[in-house]
Every structure is written in C-alpha cells, then in structure tokens.
Amino acid sequence: MGSQWAGASIPQHFRFSICMSSYSVPVDFTSMLLVLAFLAIWAKAGAWVYEDARSRGLRPGYITFLVMFVAWPLGLVFWLAMRPHKCRPPF
C-alpha cells in the first residue's frame, strides 16, 4: 500500500500525470481544482490591487507588481494596512 500514490481511489478518467523527463508526478482532479482556484484568487487580488491603486491616484502597475510578484500574499496584507486614504472631493 505504501507504493501507491494518494489518489489511488480516484477513477481513471480523473487521473492525470505530469511528465518531466523520467520523473512522473500523479495529479488528481482535486489538486488541479485547488491550483486553478489559487490562480483565480491570485488574479482577482491582482486586479483589485490595480483598480484600488488607480482609484487612489497612485501608479497602479508599480503597486500591483510589488504586491503580487514580489511579496504575495504578505504584500496584499501590507497594501491593505498601509494604503493611503482616498481623497474625497469637497461638496
């Protein structure tokens, strides 16, 4: 039982294999969904940071690069804590 991979109970049509040279990694459907969900959350967070920085009058490309590519997910928390307040126009 130790030689089987963890997804042995998954039906064959839900099993995938990622091959890199002579090393094969079994990837099940749930793992693929988790990776896709993570990528979707990451992309949505990046879009939100871009729009938030743009609405605050900052350089959105620079801020998004720093938050998403340099320090994610801690960069997102830092942006939420340290972002400048929006300037509301006087009425």
Side-chain angles (χ1 to χ4, degrees):
M1 185 157 71
S3 65
Q4 295 178 349
W5 58 283
S9 63
I10 297 172
Q12 183 64 35
H13 60 281
F14 285 129
R15 288 189 207 160
F16 305 97
S17 181
I18 300 173
C19 296
M20 298 181 308
S21 66
S22 63
Y23 182 69
S24 177
V25 178
V27 178
D28 63 358
F29 189 67
T30 306
S31 298
M32 288 180 63
L33 283 179
L34 287 174
V35 168
L36 289 175
F38 172 79
L39 290 175
I41 290 169
W42 182 81
K44 179 64 178 168
W48 178 81
V49 168
Y50 184 89
E51 287 299 320
D52 190 52
R54 188 173 62 88
S55 72
R56 294 171 190 277
L58 301 172
R59 296 175 19 192
Y62 180 71
I63 298 294
T64 303
F65 175 77
L66 288 177
V67 169
M68 300 307 294
F69 294 105
V70 175
W72 199 83
L74 294 177
L76 184 61
V77 174
F78 183 76
W79 173 250
L80 286 170
M82 304 304 287
R83 64 188 177 164
H85 294 288
K86 285 185 180 180
C87 295
R88 294 183 180 170
F91 287 66

